[in-house]
Amino acid sequence: LTSFIGINGLIRRMSMDRCLPQFLLVQNPCTGTDSFILVGFFLLCVSQVLVFDTNVAALGGVYCYAFLAVMIIFAIGNMLLKVKRPSLPREVTVGWIHAILGFVSVVIALMGNILGKPELLTFFFIYVFIVGTLVFAMFQRVTIVRLLYKLIKRSRKKLAMNAKDDDGNPDDDASIVSHSTYNTYDTTDEEARLLSNTSNKGCLASLSRTLKKFQNVPFVFFCKHDDVHLLNKAILYIQRNEQTHKIIIVHCANNTDTAMLAEHVKLMDLLYPKTKISLLIIESPFTPAVIEWTSQALRVPVNAMFISCPDENFAMKVNQLRGMRIITSYD
């Protein structure tokens, strides 16, 4: 029961962060539960029972590998926070000695279990590979769709050229080529022209719509004050880690001058022509209510809203950010 509760929260959060497919967020209308997640985890557990032929010791060994691997990731994350986010306010702090000691201890425990039952390592990596492939596909979904688009377009072009060679009628050839070949895919403008052309409906148009759907999801960055360097860092981060062509810079002005910030946002929009960068000014202090209002007004989930790393002078607690992601710092 505990594992089902834990995996439900983990998979749901990963799906909200677009690390896993969005259909996993669909809830049962009768019970309000995440049925896809729960049923999927149940099938995973059943598969392990079948693979290990109800060998409880083997199942425990694989679970031990997974648990200790997660503990190692926790230790690494703790040390990375000390290096990357030293100014982040913390209610509980752990010294470097304790973090390193915990990391080394868990690594020793994991190595001891691996040496004791090395035959289980293969099964562990099979499950890790399956989940890792799914997460990788989600991170590269735009690239995968583009690749499919180009492959299908190329195959249709070859079919059109073969039909031209077989027929030999120039009038018919022109008709075949005009309806079966497409311009080289480079920009979203060409995707729009593809969609507007009624003769290009079908698989390619469907892929184009899917690609536009992926990239038209907006992301929000709350900018505390006018800082070109910080704006550029945030935009570069979003471009590297999120597959979107829309970024909204939000500034809580609270009766302050925003003329220079508006000019700098225009500059960023010119520097990154493939990404639409816009500015939203909110005449209010930065509060949890503003976060919720912005999420509802822009129809952007809170976990798709970013903020720079707060310091000790930050008026709010980190848990009041309602799941916003801290992506960069002023350093």
Side-chain angles (χ1 to χ4, degrees), residues 88-294:
L88 183 67
R90 298 172 173 82
E91 296 182 2
V92 179
T93 58
V94 177
W96 273 103
I97 295 179
H98 294 88
I100 295 174
L101 181 61
F103 173 76
V104 173
S105 300
V106 178
V107 169
I108 293 174
L110 179 60
M111 294 303 299
N113 281 272
I114 292 175
L115 294 175
K117 297 179 179 179
E119 66 278 2
L120 300 179
L121 200 59
T122 302
F123 299 99
F124 173 74
F125 278 117
I126 289 175
Y127 284 99
V128 170
F129 176 77
I130 294 173
V131 177
T133 301
L134 182 59
V135 173
F136 177 79
M138 287 298 299
F139 283 139
Q140 301 297 325
R141 58 188 180 275
V142 170
T143 303
I144 293 173
V145 172
R146 282 178 174 173
L147 180 61
L148 289 174
Y149 185 99
K150 292 182 178 180
L151 290 176
I152 295 175
K153 181 189 68 175
R154 184 175 300 176
S155 65
R156 289 192 175 185
K157 185 176 180 179
K158 289 182 178 179
L159 290 175
M161 297 304 296
N162 292 335
K164 179 180 177 181
D165 294 338
D166 294 340
D167 196 342
N169 189 331
D171 295 333
D172 293 343
D173 296 342
S175 175
I176 292 172
V177 174
S178 63
H179 286 78
S180 302
T181 61
Y182 304 88
N183 293 330
T184 303
Y185 172 84
D186 285 320
T187 64
T188 55
D189 293 336
E190 295 188 6
E191 296 168 12
R193 289 197 295 272
L194 172 65
L195 292 177
S196 63
N197 190 347
T198 57
S199 65
N200 290 330
K201 293 181 179 180
C203 186
L204 290 177
S206 177
L207 288 174
S208 182
R209 285 193 296 268
T210 302
L211 185 61
K212 289 175 69 67
K213 180 181 177 181
F214 288 156
Q215 296 180 325
N216 282 340
V217 177
F219 284 79
V220 172
F221 175 70
F222 277 84
C223 184
K224 185 178 181 181
H225 55 75
D226 180 26
D227 188 331
V228 179
H229 176 62
L230 181 65
L231 278 176
N232 191 54
K233 285 179 64 177
I235 292 170
L236 288 175
Y237 175 91
I238 295 174
Q239 287 185 334
R240 284 195 303 264
N241 296 276
E242 303 294 345
Q243 302 177 52
T244 182
H245 282 165
K246 291 184 179 180
I247 300 175
I248 303 174
I249 307 298
V250 178
H251 176 65
C252 296
N254 198 20
N255 298 321
T256 58
D257 185 20
T258 60
M260 288 302 299
L261 176 61
E263 291 298 322
H264 288 152
V265 171
K266 290 181 181 178
L267 175 62
M268 293 295 143
D269 190 39
L270 293 174
L271 290 176
Y272 300 99
K274 292 186 177 181
T275 303
K276 180 178 176 56
I277 304 173
S278 56
L279 175 65
L280 173 63
I281 304 296
I282 300 177
E283 292 294 341
S284 172
F286 181 70
T287 61
V290 169
I291 297 173
E292 190 65 30
W293 178 86
T294 306

Side-chain angles (χ1 to χ4, degrees), residues 74-92:
F74 280 157
I76 294 174
N78 183 282
M79 290 185 284
L80 285 176
L81 281 175
K82 293 179 180 296
V83 176
K84 297 291 186 179
R85 301 288 183 265
S87 62
L88 183 67
R90 298 172 173 82
E91 296 182 2
V92 179

Side-chain angles (χ1 to χ4, degrees), residues 7-54:
I7 200 68
N8 187 79
L10 173 63
I11 299 300
R12 183 169 181 81
R13 182 65 195 189
M14 292 183 67
S15 300
M16 292 174 64
D17 288 340
R18 295 159 298 280
C19 299
L20 289 174
Q22 299 295 292
F23 75 86
L24 294 173
L25 296 175
V26 177
Q27 294 183 330
N28 190 318
C30 298
T31 61
T33 57
D34 302 304
S35 298
F36 285 110
I37 298 176
L38 298 176
V39 173
F41 184 66
F42 172 77
L43 294 177
L44 176 66
C45 294
V46 170
S47 70
Q48 289 185 330
V49 172
L50 295 176
V51 167
F52 294 111
D53 195 21
T54 67

